Coordinates of all heavy atoms in Angstrom, one line a residue:
M581 N -164.1 -163.5 -129.4 CA -162.7 -164.1 -129.4 C -161.8 -163.5 -128.4 O -162.0 -162.3 -128.1 CB -162.0 -164.1 -130.7 CG -162.6 -164.8 -131.8 SD -162.3 -166.7 -131.6 CE -163.5 -167.3 -132.6
A582 N -160.9 -164.1 -127.8 CA -159.9 -163.6 -126.9 C -159.2 -162.5 -127.6 O -158.8 -162.6 -128.8 CB -159.0 -164.7 -126.3
S583 N -158.6 -161.6 -126.9 CA -157.8 -160.4 -127.5 C -156.4 -160.8 -127.7 O -155.8 -160.1 -128.4 CB -158.0 -159.2 -126.5 OG -157.4 -159.6 -125.2
C584 N -155.9 -161.9 -127.1 CA -154.5 -162.3 -127.3 C -154.4 -163.0 -128.7 O -155.2 -163.4 -129.4 CB -154.1 -163.2 -126.2 SG -154.9 -164.7 -126.1
K585 N -153.0 -163.0 -129.1 CA -152.7 -163.7 -130.4 C -153.1 -165.2 -130.3 O -152.9 -165.8 -129.3 CB -151.2 -163.6 -130.6 CG -150.8 -164.1 -132.0 CD -149.3 -164.0 -132.2 CE -149.0 -164.5 -133.5 NZ -147.5 -164.5 -133.8
P586 N -153.9 -165.7 -131.3 CA -154.4 -167.1 -131.3 C -153.2 -168.0 -131.3 O -152.1 -167.8 -131.9 CB -155.2 -167.2 -132.6 CG -155.4 -165.9 -133.1 CD -154.3 -165.0 -132.6
I587 N -153.4 -169.2 -130.6 CA -152.4 -170.2 -130.6 C -152.7 -171.0 -131.9 O -153.8 -171.5 -132.3 CB -152.6 -171.2 -129.4 CG1 -152.3 -170.5 -128.1 CG2 -151.7 -172.4 -129.5 CD1 -152.9 -171.1 -126.9
R588 N -151.6 -171.2 -132.8 CA -151.7 -171.9 -134.0 C -151.7 -173.4 -133.8 O -151.0 -174.0 -133.1 CB -150.5 -171.5 -135.0 CG -150.6 -172.0 -136.2 CD -150.4 -170.9 -137.3 NE -150.7 -171.3 -138.6 CZ -149.8 -171.5 -139.5 NH1 -148.6 -171.2 -139.2 NH2 -150.1 -171.9 -140.7
Q589 N -152.7 -174.0 -134.7 CA -152.8 -175.4 -134.6 C -152.9 -175.9 -136.0 O -152.9 -175.1 -137.0 CB -154.1 -175.9 -133.9 CG -154.1 -175.5 -132.4 CD -155.3 -176.2 -131.7 OE1 -156.4 -176.1 -132.2 NE2 -155.0 -176.8 -130.7
V590 N -152.9 -177.2 -136.3 CA -153.0 -177.8 -137.5 C -154.1 -178.8 -137.5 O -154.3 -179.5 -136.4 CB -151.7 -178.4 -138.0 CG1 -151.2 -179.5 -137.1 CG2 -151.7 -178.8 -139.4
G591 N -154.9 -179.0 -138.5 CA -155.9 -180.0 -138.6 C -155.8 -180.9 -139.9 O -155.3 -180.2 -140.9
V592 N -156.4 -181.9 -139.9 CA -156.5 -182.7 -141.2 C -157.8 -183.3 -141.4 O -158.6 -183.5 -140.6 CB -155.4 -183.9 -141.1 CG1 -154.0 -183.5 -141.1 CG2 -155.8 -184.9 -140.0
I593 N -158.2 -183.4 -142.7 CA -159.4 -184.1 -143.1 C -159.0 -185.4 -143.8 O -158.7 -185.3 -144.9 CB -160.3 -183.2 -144.0 CG1 -160.7 -181.9 -143.3 CG2 -161.5 -183.9 -144.4 CD1 -161.4 -180.9 -144.1
P594 N -158.8 -186.5 -143.0 CA -158.3 -187.7 -143.6 C -159.4 -188.3 -144.6 O -160.5 -188.3 -144.2 CB -157.9 -188.6 -142.5 CG -158.5 -187.8 -141.3 CD -158.9 -186.5 -141.6
Y595 N -158.8 -188.8 -145.6 CA -159.8 -189.6 -146.6 C -159.0 -190.7 -147.3 O -157.8 -190.7 -147.3 CB -160.4 -188.6 -147.6 CG -159.5 -188.1 -148.7 CD1 -159.3 -188.8 -149.8 CD2 -158.7 -187.0 -148.4 CE1 -158.4 -188.3 -150.8 CE2 -157.8 -186.5 -149.3 CZ -157.7 -187.2 -150.6 OH -156.8 -186.8 -151.5
Y596 N -159.8 -191.6 -147.8 CA -159.3 -192.7 -148.6 C -160.2 -192.9 -149.8 O -161.4 -192.6 -149.7 CB -158.9 -193.9 -147.8 CG -160.2 -194.6 -147.3 CD1 -160.8 -195.7 -147.8 CD2 -160.7 -194.2 -146.0 CE1 -161.8 -196.3 -147.4 CE2 -161.8 -194.9 -145.5 CZ -162.4 -195.9 -146.2 OH -163.5 -196.5 -145.6
E597 N -159.7 -193.7 -150.7 CA -160.6 -194.0 -151.9 C -160.6 -195.6 -152.0 O -159.7 -196.2 -151.8 CB -159.9 -193.5 -153.2 CG -160.7 -193.9 -154.4 CD -160.0 -193.5 -155.7 OE1 -159.0 -193.0 -155.7 OE2 -160.7 -193.7 -156.8
E598 N -161.8 -196.0 -152.2 CA -162.0 -197.4 -152.3 C -163.1 -197.6 -153.5 O -164.2 -197.1 -153.4 CB -162.6 -198.1 -151.0 CG -162.7 -199.5 -151.1 CD -163.1 -200.0 -149.7 OE1 -162.2 -200.0 -148.7 OE2 -164.2 -200.6 -149.5
D599 N -162.7 -198.4 -154.4 CA -163.6 -198.7 -155.6 C -164.2 -197.4 -156.2 O -165.4 -197.4 -156.5 CB -164.7 -199.6 -155.2 CG -164.2 -201.0 -154.7 OD1 -163.2 -201.5 -155.3 OD2 -164.9 -201.5 -153.9
G600 N -163.4 -196.4 -156.3 CA -163.8 -195.1 -157.0 C -164.5 -194.2 -156.1 O -165.1 -193.2 -156.6
E601 N -164.8 -194.6 -154.8 CA -165.6 -193.7 -153.9 C -164.7 -193.2 -152.9 O -163.7 -193.9 -152.4 CB -166.7 -194.5 -153.2 CG -167.8 -195.0 -154.1 CD -169.0 -195.5 -153.2 OE1 -169.6 -194.7 -152.5 OE2 -169.2 -196.7 -153.3
F602 N -164.9 -192.0 -152.4 CA -164.0 -191.4 -151.4 C -164.8 -191.4 -150.0 O -166.0 -191.1 -150.0 CB -163.7 -189.9 -151.8 CG -162.7 -189.8 -152.9 CD1 -163.1 -189.8 -154.1 CD2 -161.4 -189.8 -152.5 CE1 -162.2 -189.8 -155.2 CE2 -160.4 -189.7 -153.6 CZ -160.9 -189.6 -155.0
F603 N -164.0 -191.7 -148.9 CA -164.6 -191.7 -147.6 C -163.7 -190.8 -146.7 O -162.5 -190.9 -146.8 CB -164.6 -193.1 -147.2 CG -165.4 -194.1 -147.9 CD1 -164.9 -194.8 -149.1 CD2 -166.7 -194.3 -147.7 CE1 -165.5 -195.6 -149.8 CE2 -167.5 -195.2 -148.4 CZ -166.8 -195.8 -149.5
T604 N -164.3 -190.1 -145.9 CA -163.6 -189.3 -144.8 C -163.4 -190.2 -143.6 O -164.3 -191.1 -143.3 CB -164.2 -188.0 -144.5 OG1 -165.5 -188.2 -144.1 CG2 -164.2 -187.0 -145.6
V605 N -162.5 -189.9 -142.8 CA -162.2 -190.5 -141.5 C -162.3 -189.5 -140.4 O -161.8 -188.5 -140.4 CB -160.8 -191.2 -141.5 CG1 -160.6 -191.9 -140.2 CG2 -160.6 -192.1 -142.7
V606 N -163.2 -189.9 -139.4 CA -163.3 -189.1 -138.3 C -163.0 -189.9 -136.9 O -163.1 -191.2 -137.1 CB -164.8 -188.5 -138.1 CG1 -165.1 -187.5 -139.2 CG2 -165.8 -189.6 -138.2
V607 N -162.8 -189.3 -135.9 CA -162.4 -189.9 -134.6 C -163.3 -189.3 -133.5 O -163.9 -188.3 -133.8 CB -160.9 -189.7 -134.2 CG1 -160.0 -190.3 -135.2 CG2 -160.6 -188.2 -134.0
T608 N -163.5 -190.2 -132.5 CA -164.3 -189.6 -131.4 C -163.5 -188.8 -130.5 O -162.4 -188.8 -130.4 CB -164.8 -190.8 -130.5 OG1 -163.8 -191.6 -130.0 CG2 -165.8 -191.7 -131.3
A609 N -164.2 -187.8 -130.0 CA -163.6 -186.9 -129.0 C -163.2 -187.5 -127.7 O -163.9 -188.4 -127.2 CB -164.6 -185.6 -128.8
R610 N -162.0 -187.1 -127.2 CA -161.7 -187.6 -125.9 C -162.7 -187.3 -124.8 O -163.2 -186.2 -124.7 CB -160.4 -186.9 -125.5 CG -159.7 -187.6 -124.3 CD -158.3 -186.9 -123.9 NE -157.5 -186.8 -125.1 CZ -156.8 -185.8 -125.4 NH1 -156.7 -184.7 -124.5 NH2 -156.0 -185.7 -126.3
G611 N -163.1 -188.3 -124.2 CA -164.1 -188.1 -123.1 C -165.6 -188.1 -123.6 O -166.5 -188.0 -122.7
N612 N -165.9 -188.0 -124.8 CA -167.2 -188.1 -125.4 C -167.4 -188.9 -126.7 O -167.1 -188.4 -127.7 CB -167.7 -186.6 -125.6 CG -169.2 -186.5 -126.0 OD1 -169.8 -187.6 -126.2 ND2 -169.8 -185.4 -126.0
P613 N -167.6 -190.2 -126.6 CA -167.6 -191.1 -127.7 C -168.8 -190.8 -128.7 O -168.7 -191.3 -129.8 CB -167.7 -192.5 -127.1 CG -168.2 -192.3 -125.8 CD -167.9 -190.9 -125.4
E614 N -169.7 -189.9 -128.3 CA -170.7 -189.6 -129.2 C -170.4 -188.3 -130.1 O -171.2 -187.9 -130.9 CB -172.0 -189.3 -128.4 CG -172.4 -190.6 -127.7 CD -173.8 -190.3 -126.9 OE1 -174.3 -189.2 -126.9 OE2 -174.2 -191.2 -126.1
F615 N -169.3 -187.7 -129.8 CA -168.9 -186.4 -130.5 C -167.7 -186.9 -131.5 O -166.7 -187.4 -131.1 CB -168.4 -185.4 -129.6 CG -168.1 -184.1 -130.2 CD1 -169.2 -183.3 -130.7 CD2 -166.9 -183.6 -130.3 CE1 -168.9 -182.1 -131.3 CE2 -166.6 -182.4 -130.9 CZ -167.7 -181.5 -131.3
W616 N -168.0 -186.6 -132.8 CA -166.9 -187.0 -133.9 C -166.3 -185.8 -134.3 O -166.9 -184.7 -134.5 CB -167.6 -187.6 -135.0 CG -168.3 -189.0 -134.5 CD1 -169.5 -189.2 -134.0 CD2 -167.7 -190.2 -134.6 NE1 -169.7 -190.5 -133.7 CE2 -168.6 -191.2 -134.1 CE3 -166.5 -190.8 -135.0 CZ2 -168.3 -192.6 -134.0 CZ3 -166.2 -192.1 -135.0 CH2 -167.1 -193.0 -134.5
L617 N -165.0 -185.9 -134.7 CA -164.2 -184.8 -135.2 C -163.0 -185.2 -136.1 O -162.8 -186.3 -136.2 CB -163.7 -184.0 -134.0 CG -162.9 -184.7 -132.9 CD1 -161.5 -185.0 -133.2 CD2 -163.0 -184.0 -131.7
F618 N -162.4 -184.2 -136.7 CA -161.2 -184.5 -137.5 C -160.0 -184.3 -136.6 O -160.1 -183.4 -135.7 CB -161.1 -183.6 -138.7 CG -162.2 -183.8 -139.8 CD1 -163.1 -182.8 -140.0 CD2 -162.3 -185.0 -140.5 CE1 -164.1 -183.0 -140.9 CE2 -163.3 -185.3 -141.4 CZ -164.2 -184.2 -141.7
P619 N -159.0 -185.0 -136.8 CA -157.7 -184.9 -136.0 C -157.2 -183.4 -136.1 O -157.1 -182.9 -137.2 CB -156.7 -185.8 -136.6 CG -157.6 -186.9 -137.2 CD -158.8 -186.1 -137.7
K620 N -156.8 -182.8 -135.0 CA -156.1 -181.5 -135.0 C -155.3 -181.4 -133.7 O -155.5 -182.2 -132.8 CB -157.1 -180.4 -135.1 CG -158.0 -180.2 -133.9 CD -158.7 -178.8 -133.9 CE -159.5 -178.6 -132.7 NZ -158.8 -178.9 -131.4
G621 N -154.4 -180.4 -133.7 CA -153.6 -180.2 -132.6 C -152.5 -179.2 -132.8 O -152.5 -178.5 -133.9
H622 N -151.7 -179.0 -131.8 CA -150.6 -177.9 -131.8 C -149.5 -178.3 -132.8 O -149.2 -179.4 -133.0 CB -150.0 -177.7 -130.4 CG -151.1 -177.2 -129.4 ND1 -151.5 -175.9 -129.4 CD2 -151.7 -177.8 -128.3 CE1 -152.4 -175.8 -128.5 NE2 -152.5 -177.0 -127.9
I623 N -148.9 -177.2 -133.4 CA -147.7 -177.4 -134.1 C -146.5 -177.3 -133.2 O -146.3 -176.3 -132.6 CB -147.6 -176.3 -135.3 CG1 -148.9 -176.4 -136.2 CG2 -146.3 -176.4 -136.0 CD1 -148.9 -175.3 -137.1
E624 N -145.8 -178.4 -133.0 CA -144.6 -178.4 -132.1 C -143.5 -177.5 -132.7 O -143.3 -177.4 -133.9 CB -144.2 -179.7 -131.9 CG -145.2 -180.7 -131.2 CD -145.7 -180.2 -129.8 OE1 -144.8 -179.6 -129.1 OE2 -146.9 -180.5 -129.5
S625 N -142.6 -176.9 -131.8 CA -141.5 -176.1 -132.2 C -140.6 -176.8 -133.2 O -140.2 -178.2 -132.8 CB -140.8 -175.6 -131.0 OG -139.6 -174.9 -131.4
G626 N -140.3 -176.3 -134.3 CA -139.4 -177.0 -135.2 C -140.0 -177.9 -136.2 O -139.3 -178.5 -137.1
E627 N -141.3 -178.2 -136.0 CA -142.0 -179.1 -137.0 C -142.7 -178.3 -138.2 O -143.1 -177.2 -137.9 CB -143.1 -179.8 -136.2 CG -142.6 -180.9 -135.3 CD -143.7 -181.6 -134.6 OE1 -144.9 -181.3 -134.9 OE2 -143.3 -182.6 -133.9
T628 N -142.7 -178.9 -139.2 CA -143.4 -178.3 -140.4 C -144.9 -178.4 -140.2 O -145.3 -179.4 -139.4 CB -143.0 -178.9 -141.8 OG1 -143.4 -180.3 -141.8 CG2 -141.5 -178.7 -142.0
I629 N -145.7 -177.7 -140.9 CA -147.2 -177.9 -140.8 C -147.5 -179.4 -141.2 O -148.3 -180.0 -140.6 CB -147.9 -176.8 -141.7 CG1 -147.6 -175.5 -141.0 CG2 -149.4 -177.1 -141.9 CD1 -148.1 -174.3 -141.9
Q630 N -146.9 -179.8 -142.5 CA -147.3 -181.1 -142.9 C -146.8 -182.2 -141.9 O -147.6 -183.2 -141.7 CB -146.6 -181.3 -144.3 CG -147.1 -180.5 -145.4 CD -146.6 -179.1 -145.4 OE1 -145.6 -178.8 -144.7 NE2 -147.3 -178.2 -146.0
F631 N -145.6 -182.1 -141.3 CA -145.3 -183.2 -140.4 C -146.3 -183.1 -139.2 O -146.6 -184.2 -138.7 CB -143.8 -182.8 -139.9 CG -143.3 -183.9 -138.9 CD1 -142.9 -185.1 -139.4 CD2 -143.5 -183.7 -137.6 CE1 -142.4 -186.1 -138.6 CE2 -143.0 -184.7 -136.7 CZ -142.4 -185.8 -137.1
S632 N -146.6 -181.9 -138.6 CA -147.5 -181.9 -137.6 C -148.9 -182.5 -137.9 O -149.4 -183.2 -137.1 CB -147.7 -180.5 -137.1 OG -146.4 -179.9 -136.5
A633 N -149.4 -182.2 -139.0 CA -150.6 -182.8 -139.5 C -150.5 -184.3 -139.6 O -151.5 -185.0 -139.1 CB -151.1 -182.2 -140.9
N634 N -149.5 -184.8 -140.1 CA -149.3 -186.3 -140.1 C -149.4 -186.9 -138.8 O -149.8 -187.9 -138.5 CB -148.0 -186.6 -140.8 CG -148.2 -187.0 -142.3 OD1 -149.3 -187.6 -142.7 ND2 -147.3 -186.6 -143.2
M635 N -148.6 -186.2 -137.9 CA -148.5 -186.7 -136.5 C -149.8 -186.7 -135.8 O -150.2 -187.6 -135.1 CB -147.5 -185.9 -135.7 CG -146.0 -186.1 -136.1 SD -145.5 -187.9 -135.9 CE -145.7 -188.2 -134.2
E636 N -150.5 -185.6 -136.0 CA -152.0 -185.6 -135.3 C -152.8 -186.7 -135.9 O -153.5 -187.3 -135.1 CB -152.6 -184.2 -135.6 CG -152.0 -183.1 -134.9 CD -151.9 -183.3 -133.3 OE1 -152.8 -183.9 -132.7 OE2 -150.9 -182.9 -132.7
A637 N -152.9 -187.0 -137.2 CA -153.6 -188.1 -137.8 C -153.2 -189.4 -137.2 O -154.0 -190.2 -136.8 CB -153.5 -188.1 -139.3
Y638 N -151.8 -189.5 -137.0 CA -151.3 -190.9 -136.5 C -151.6 -191.0 -135.1 O -152.2 -192.0 -134.5 CB -149.9 -190.9 -136.7 CG -149.3 -192.3 -136.1 CD1 -149.5 -193.4 -136.9 CD2 -148.6 -192.3 -135.0 CE1 -149.1 -194.6 -136.3 CE2 -148.1 -193.4 -134.5 CZ -148.3 -194.6 -135.1 OH -147.9 -195.8 -134.6
E639 N -151.4 -189.9 -134.3 CA -151.6 -190.0 -132.8 C -153.1 -190.1 -132.4 O -153.4 -190.9 -131.4 CB -151.1 -188.8 -132.2 CG -149.5 -188.5 -132.1 CD -149.0 -187.3 -131.7 OE1 -149.8 -186.4 -131.4 OE2 -147.9 -187.1 -131.5
E640 N -154.0 -189.5 -133.1 CA -155.4 -189.5 -132.7 C -156.2 -190.6 -133.4 O -157.2 -191.0 -132.9 CB -156.0 -188.2 -133.0 CG -155.4 -187.0 -132.2 CD -156.2 -185.7 -132.3 OE1 -157.3 -185.7 -132.9 OE2 -155.7 -184.7 -131.9
A641 N -155.7 -191.2 -134.6 CA -156.5 -192.1 -135.3 C -155.6 -193.3 -135.8 O -156.2 -194.1 -136.5 CB -157.2 -191.5 -136.4
G642 N -154.4 -193.3 -135.6 CA -153.5 -194.3 -136.1 C -153.4 -194.3 -137.7 O -153.1 -195.3 -138.2
L643 N -153.6 -193.2 -138.2 CA -153.6 -193.1 -139.7 C -152.2 -192.7 -140.2 O -151.5 -191.8 -139.7 CB -154.5 -192.0 -140.2 CG -156.1 -192.2 -139.8 CD1 -156.9 -191.0 -140.1 CD2 -156.6 -193.5 -140.5
I644 N -151.9 -193.4 -141.3 CA -150.6 -193.0 -141.9 C -150.9 -192.6 -143.4 O -151.6 -193.4 -144.1 CB -149.6 -194.3 -141.9 CG1 -149.3 -194.6 -140.4 CG2 -148.3 -193.9 -142.7 CD1 -148.5 -196.0 -140.3
G645 N -150.5 -191.5 -143.8 CA -150.8 -191.0 -145.1 C -149.9 -189.9 -145.6 O -148.9 -189.7 -145.1
R646 N -150.3 -189.2 -146.6 CA -149.7 -188.1 -147.2 C -150.4 -186.8 -147.0 O -151.7 -186.8 -147.2 CB -149.5 -188.3 -148.7 CG -148.8 -187.3 -149.5 CD -148.6 -187.7 -150.9 NE -149.8 -188.2 -151.5 CZ -150.7 -187.5 -152.1 NH1 -150.7 -186.2 -152.1 NH2 -151.8 -188.0 -152.7
V647 N -149.8 -185.7 -146.6 CA -150.6 -184.5 -146.4 C -150.2 -183.6 -147.5 O -149.0 -183.3 -147.9 CB -150.0 -183.8 -145.0 CG1 -150.7 -182.4 -144.9 CG2 -150.4 -184.6 -143.9
D648 N -151.3 -183.0 -148.1 CA -151.1 -182.1 -149.2 C -150.5 -180.7 -148.7 O -150.7 -180.4 -147.5 CB -152.5 -181.7 -149.8 CG -152.4 -181.1 -151.2 OD1 -151.3 -180.4 -151.6 OD2 -153.4 -181.1 -151.9
K649 N -149.6 -180.2 -149.4 CA -148.9 -179.0 -149.1 C -149.8 -177.8 -149.1 O -149.5 -176.8 -148.4 CB -147.7 -178.7 -149.9 CG -146.6 -179.8 -149.7 CD -145.3 -179.4 -150.4 CE -144.3 -180.5 -150.1 NZ -143.0 -180.2 -150.6
K650 N -150.9 -177.8 -149.9 CA -151.8 -176.6 -149.9 C -153.0 -176.8 -148.9 O -153.6 -177.8 -148.8 CB -152.4 -176.6 -151.4 CG -153.3 -175.3 -151.5 CD -153.7 -175.3 -152.9 CE -154.6 -174.1 -153.1 NZ -155.6 -174.1 -154.2
S651 N -153.1 -175.8 -148.1 CA -154.2 -175.7 -147.2 C -155.5 -175.4 -147.8 O -155.6 -174.7 -148.8 CB -154.0 -174.6 -146.1 OG -155.0 -174.5 -145.2
I652 N -156.6 -176.1 -147.4 CA -157.9 -175.8 -147.9 C -158.7 -174.8 -147.1 O -159.8 -174.4 -147.5 CB -158.8 -177.1 -148.1 CG1 -159.0 -177.7 -146.7 CG2 -158.1 -178.1 -149.0 CD1 -160.1 -178.8 -146.8
G653 N -158.1 -174.3 -146.0 CA -158.8 -173.2 -145.3 C -158.3 -173.2 -143.9 O -157.4 -173.8 -143.5
S654 N -159.0 -172.3 -143.1 CA -158.6 -172.2 -141.7 C -159.9 -171.7 -140.9 O -160.8 -171.3 -141.5 CB -157.5 -171.2 -141.6 OG -157.9 -169.9 -141.9
Y655 N -159.8 -171.8 -139.6 CA -160.8 -171.3 -138.7 C -160.3 -171.0 -137.4 O -159.2 -171.4 -137.1 CB -162.0 -172.3 -138.6 CG -161.7 -173.6 -137.9 CD1 -161.9 -173.8 -136.5 CD2 -161.2 -174.8 -138.6 CE1 -161.5 -174.9 -135.9 CE2 -160.9 -175.9 -137.9 CZ -161.1 -176.1 -136.6 OH -160.8 -177.2 -136.0
Q656 N -161.0 -170.2 -136.6 CA -160.6 -169.7 -135.3 C -161.6 -170.1 -134.3 O -162.8 -169.9 -134.6 CB -160.3 -168.2 -135.4 CG -159.4 -167.8 -134.2 CD -158.9 -166.5 -134.4 OE1 -158.5 -166.1 -135.5 NE2 -158.9 -165.6 -133.4
Y657 N -161.3 -170.5 -133.1 CA -162.2 -170.8 -132.1 C -161.7 -170.5 -130.7 O -160.5 -170.2 -130.7 CB -162.7 -172.3 -132.0 CG -161.6 -173.3 -131.7 CD1 -161.5 -173.8 -130.4 CD2 -160.6 -173.6 -132.6 CE1 -160.6 -174.6 -130.0 CE2 -159.7 -174.5 -132.2 CZ -159.7 -175.0 -130.9 OH -158.7 -175.9 -130.5
E658 N -162.6 -170.4 -129.8 CA -162.1 -170.0 -128.4 C -162.5 -171.2 -127.5 O -163.6 -171.8 -127.6 CB -162.8 -168.8 -128.0 CG -162.2 -168.2 -126.6 CD -162.7 -166.8 -126.3 OE1 -162.8 -166.0 -127.1 OE2 -163.1 -166.7 -125.1
K659 N -161.6 -171.5 -126.6 CA -161.9 -172.6 -125.6 C -161.1 -172.3 -124.3 O -159.9 -171.9 -124.3 CB -161.3 -173.9 -126.2 CG -161.5 -175.1 -125.2 CD -161.0 -176.4 -126.0 CE -161.2 -177.6 -125.1 NZ -160.7 -178.8 -125.8
A660 N -161.8 -172.3 -123.2 CA -161.3 -172.1 -122.0 C -160.6 -170.7 -121.8 O -159.5 -170.6 -121.3 CB -160.4 -173.2 -121.4
G661 N -161.2 -169.7 -122.5 CA -160.6 -168.3 -122.4 C -159.3 -168.2 -123.3 O -158.8 -167.1 -123.3
K662 N -159.0 -169.2 -124.1 CA -157.9 -169.0 -125.1 C -158.4 -169.0 -126.5 O -159.4 -169.8 -126.7 CB -156.9 -170.1 -124.9 CG -156.1 -170.1 -123.5 CD -155.2 -171.3 -123.4 CE -154.4 -171.3 -122.1 NZ -153.6 -172.4 -121.9
S663 N -157.7 -168.4 -127.4 CA -158.0 -168.3 -128.8 C -157.1 -169.3 -129.6 O -155.9 -169.3 -129.3 CB -157.9 -166.9 -129.4 OG -158.2 -166.8 -130.7
F664 N -157.7 -170.1 -130.5 CA -156.9 -171.0 -131.3 C -157.3 -170.8 -132.7 O -158.4 -170.4 -133.1 CB -157.3 -172.4 -131.0 CG -156.9 -172.8 -129.5 CD1 -157.9 -172.6 -128.5 CD2 -155.8 -173.4 -129.2 CE1 -157.6 -173.0 -127.2 CE2 -155.5 -173.7 -128.0 CZ -156.3 -173.6 -127.0
K665 N -156.3 -170.9 -133.6 CA -156.3 -170.8 -135.1 C -155.9 -172.1 -135.7 O -154.8 -172.5 -135.5 CB -155.7 -169.6 -135.6 CG -155.8 -169.5 -137.2 CD -155.2 -168.3 -137.7 CE -155.5 -168.3 -139.2 NZ -154.9 -167.1 -139.9
V666 N -156.8 -172.8 -136.4 CA -156.4 -173.9 -137.1 C -156.3 -173.6 -138.6 O -157.2 -173.1 -139.2 CB -157.5 -175.0 -136.9 CG1 -157.1 -176.3 -137.7 CG2 -157.7 -175.4 -135.4
G667 N -155.2 -174.0 -139.1 CA -155.0 -173.8 -140.6 C -153.8 -172.8 -140.9 O -153.3 -172.3 -140.2

């Protein structure tokens, strides 16, 4: 991992229930329609984590829903020499 402080991001695992079954929603990665992922992105200044998560789900997948206030986890990754932390 990069030695600098990670850039904080937020991610969502969108799901819905239909006839008693739960389904997750994934989107294709920009530039690679064969790569599927959950919406995630930067937390903008002044936004709450929940608002940012809702915005990412809407912007990346057109989803409108409710974000739980409790996080289920986090992870850290590196991309283009920068460190990111989701969660």
Side-chain angles (χ1 to χ4, degrees):
M581 293 289 162
S583 60
C584 63
K585 183 177 179 183
I587 298 168
R588 187 126 185 254
Q589 293 188 315
V590 65
V592 295
I593 302 175
Y595 70 91
Y596 66 96
E597 180 184 4
E598 186 174 295
D599 298 328
E601 290 189 70
F602 287 89
F603 300 89
T604 57
V605 179
V606 291
V607 296
T608 56
R610 188 179 312 142
N612 186 351
E614 296 179 7
F615 187 72
W616 295 87
L617 49 83
F618 293 116
K620 69 167 180 52
H622 298 284
I623 301 170
E624 300 297 330
S625 178
E627 292 181 353
T628 66
I629 292 170
Q630 289 79 18
F631 182 84
S632 292
N634 264 324
M635 288 304 298
E636 291 303 327
Y638 180 74
E639 290 171 356
E640 294 187 17
L643 300 172
I644 299 172
R646 177 178 48 88
V647 174
D648 195 339
K649 291 185 180 191
K650 184 179 178 195
S651 174
I652 63 168
S654 66
Y655 65 93
Q656 195 165 323
Y657 69 98
E658 189 172 317
K659 180 178 179 181
K662 295 181 180 177
S663 180
F664 297 89
K665 181 177 182 180
V666 180

